[in-house]
Amino acid sequence: DFNTLADFSKQAQSQMRYAAIYAAVETWAQSPPSSAVAEAVDLDLDGADEYVLKNANVFALFESTGGRLTAAWAREATSGEVFQVVGNFLSYSGTETEFEGDSNNTGGTINARRTSGFKDWFAAGPNSNAYVNDTYQVTAGPAASWVFVSSDGLIEKTISLADSAKQLQADYVLDPAITKLFVRFGLTPDLQSLIHKGQRDLSDTLDTGASVGVENRTATERISTVIRYSGDGFGGSTYQSAASDRTPGVFDVDTINMRNQAQTTQVELESTAQSFSLALELVAECGDCDNDLLPGDWEDLYGLDDDDDGSTNPDNGPDGDPDKDGMSNLTEYLVGLNPQVVDVHLFPKLNIQMLGDGNAKLDFPAMPDRRYKIEWSTNLKDWSRLGPDMLPDAMTPALEVTDDGTLEPPNASKDANARYYQLLIQLP
């Protein structure tokens, strides 16, 4: 009857189509090419081609809209595990097209939705943000590369991927009519972790004058997204630290919505040169290469072999006890002790303080990459949880829980005058 789809239905449908993209990424992850490949294919089933660059380490997806990178994944070579590092199809679609916000938020109106990679944010000279959603002409470049040219011909950028590279290189050529170009990136290192855990594991890779980025580092993986803009063949642009949604070095422990771009960290560069080059490096590395539950950094620090899960030398594995103090390596890691030193006396304690109102306050030292939970009992046999699990970040050296005595005991038979507590420390 010629009725059109409602806006909410169009947006939902546009997000459902992204499932086809993830299917293509899954196929790539299982059988990555040995050398870099550029291919034009309609991955999101919208009737228009996407432009893919991929090798054994990186899968990058570009659109002609804005001539930009809308999503990218990094592959860890040892395990074959894949992590999304650019883009977030799961949140705030905002439109059924690939359009992104072309201005900052004003008057409570959200204009800055979505930030992907190599986003030509604003061009001085023309004084225009029209390039954000301009339709770029796309042609195949030399080797594995795509050449994106704005509809007015004033911006040309060639994005390339070398055979074994972990970075996408962009070479810009601007018409003299453009006196300055601002380029934005939206970085989501390990999107799944950001959705599940918020920003607790994020850290800035400090601006060195040549590179800047953000890293998501846990006990099991290290996912980094770094923009290289000077040195080693790159140059002509500068990093704009003020063009950010947050204070550098400060991350929220929760998933928060910044400019309608949840899970995204914004990085911006600018250039007044007619030609400049930069690169987006996407790296996924194992943090526990031998899969023995002990982080590689921790094993290296204490002289254990991160390539041995204990099969060759039992002292290197999680059940090893090289200092013979009765605590396994995994226990020593969980409680923050040295596996090479007899330090049982430093085992962390659960402190209990009775408050004046009859409540009990329990506090204990805490470390990141651990899950803490308190349980209580009246008979040391039947245990019940006291409060939710706790996953502290690096800025939380201690945790505390208050027991107000209102919880029902976990057992029918109890000593009304007794209340026992135990602290459980687990891998997250």
Side-chain angles (χ1 to χ4, degrees):
D1 60 3
F2 303 102
N3 284 332
T4 56
L5 289 173
D7 286 343
F8 79 89
S9 182
K10 288 191 290 186
Q11 293 175 25
Q13 187 263 356
S14 73
Q15 295 198 49
M16 289 298 292
R17 286 190 285 105
Y18 295 138
I21 293 177
Y22 285 101
V25 173
E26 171 76 5
T27 299
W28 161 74
Q30 293 180 357
S31 182
S34 57
S35 57
V37 174
E39 61 183 12
V41 59
D42 181 12
L43 287 185
D44 62 3
L45 311 179
D46 65 351
D49 279 347
E50 282 68 50
Y51 301 92
V52 175
L53 292 174
K54 61 184 178 180
N55 61 14
N57 301 309
V58 173
F59 185 107
L61 184 71
F62 293 83
E63 295 280 356
S64 60
T65 302
R68 59 175 167 260
L69 174 71
T70 56
W73 293 260
R75 182 176 180 272
E76 198 283 300
T78 303
S79 65
E81 192 170 0
V82 169
F83 304 86
Q84 187 163 354
V85 290
V86 173
N88 183 5
F89 294 140
L90 304 179
S91 110
Y92 301 104
S93 173
T95 172
E96 72 276 13
T97 71
E98 280 79 25
F99 284 3
E100 296 190 1
D102 57 8
S103 62
N104 293 321
N105 295 353
T106 55
T109 300
I110 297 173
N111 302 318
R113 65 183 185 280
R114 302 192 208 164
T115 293
S116 51
F118 304 102
K119 179 176 181 174
D120 300 332
W121 171 247
F122 187 84
N127 294 326
S128 176
N129 59 3
Y131 297 103
V132 170
N133 294 314
D134 183 35
T135 300
Y136 280 55
Q137 298 300 311
V138 188
T139 57
S145 66
W146 293 107
V147 180
F148 299 89
V149 180
S150 61
S151 61
D152 60 9
L154 299 185
I155 299 176
E156 177 182 308
K157 56 186 174 185
T158 301
I159 314 289
S160 58
L161 178 67
D163 287 345
S164 58
K166 296 182 179 180
Q167 65 183 25
L168 299 161
Q169 178 166 334
D171 298 304
Y172 275 82
V173 178
L174 306 180
D175 187 275
I178 295 181
T179 58
K180 182 184 292 187
L181 182 66
F182 297 86
V183 182
R184 281 188 176 177
F185 294 82
L187 308 178
T188 57
D190 196 352
L191 177 60
Q192 179 172 301
S193 173
L194 292 171
I195 291 172
H196 288 177
K197 300 170 63 179
Q199 301 174 338
R200 69 180 71 247
D201 294 323
L202 285 185
S203 62
D204 288 312
T205 58
L206 297 179
D207 179 26
T208 64
S211 65
V212 64
V214 64
E215 180 180 69
N216 198 328
R217 191 183 189 99
T218 69
T220 55
E221 62 252 355
R222 306 161 194 158
I223 315 302
S224 63
T225 48
V226 177
I227 298 166
R228 304 194 179 281
Y229 60 89
S230 180
D232 297 326
F234 306 117
S237 60
T238 57
Y239 166 54
Q240 298 303 303
S241 59
S244 176
D245 295 317
R246 60 176 179 79
T247 302
V250 177
F251 293 93
D252 197 280
V253 297
D254 302 313
T255 291
I256 59 174
N257 178 9
M258 299 179 295
R259 290 185 179 172
N260 207 23
Q261 300 174 96
Q263 292 96 35
T264 300
T265 296
Q266 178 179 288
V267 176
E268 182 176 296
L269 287 87
E270 69 172 48
S271 178
T272 57
Q274 281 188 254
S275 63
F276 62 96
S277 298
L278 53 87
L280 174 59
E281 184 179 67
L282 312 170
V283 178
E285 298 177 329
C286 60
D288 176 19
C289 295
D290 56 6
N291 295 311
D292 63 356
L293 305 179
L294 302 173
D297 287 348
W298 187 84
E299 291 190 274
D300 291 342
L301 177 64
Y302 293 114
L304 303 177
D305 188 351
D306 188 35
D307 292 323
D308 179 15
D309 61 2
S311 300
T312 302
N313 180 356
D315 277 347
N316 288 317
D319 298 324
D321 182 16
D323 56 10
K324 311 304 179 188
D325 62 359
M327 288 189 295
S328 69
N329 288 333
L330 182 56
T331 298
E332 302 235 28
Y333 165 69
L334 285 171
V335 299
L337 298 182
N338 187 335
Q340 303 289 3
V341 174
V342 177
D343 50 5
V344 178
H345 62 289
L346 297 177
F347 199 90
K349 301 294 191 299
L350 174 61
N351 299 310
I352 304 174
Q353 178 183 356
M354 296 307 299
L355 305 178
D357 54 9
N359 297 345
K361 184 179 77 172
L362 301 94
D363 63 84
F364 50 92
M367 302 176 68
D369 296 322
R370 281 86 167 160
R371 180 183 296 272
Y372 296 89
K373 62 177 69 175
I374 300 276
E375 294 184 343
W376 69 280
S377 172
T378 58
N379 61 4
L380 291 174
K381 176 182 177 183
D382 303 292
W383 294 91
S384 184
R385 181 192 303 267
L386 179 65
D389 291 5
M390 293 161 280
L391 288 160
D393 59 19
M395 304 302 293
T396 308
L399 294 168
E400 66 177 47
V401 176
T402 298
D403 180 8
D404 62 8
T406 59
L407 293 176
E408 290 295 323
N411 54 294
S413 172
K414 63 182 185 296
D415 177 353
N417 296 317
R419 211 164 176 91
Y420 304 95
Y421 303 95
Q422 65 179 7
L423 171 64
L424 304 182
I425 310 174
Q426 302 170 327
L427 294 172

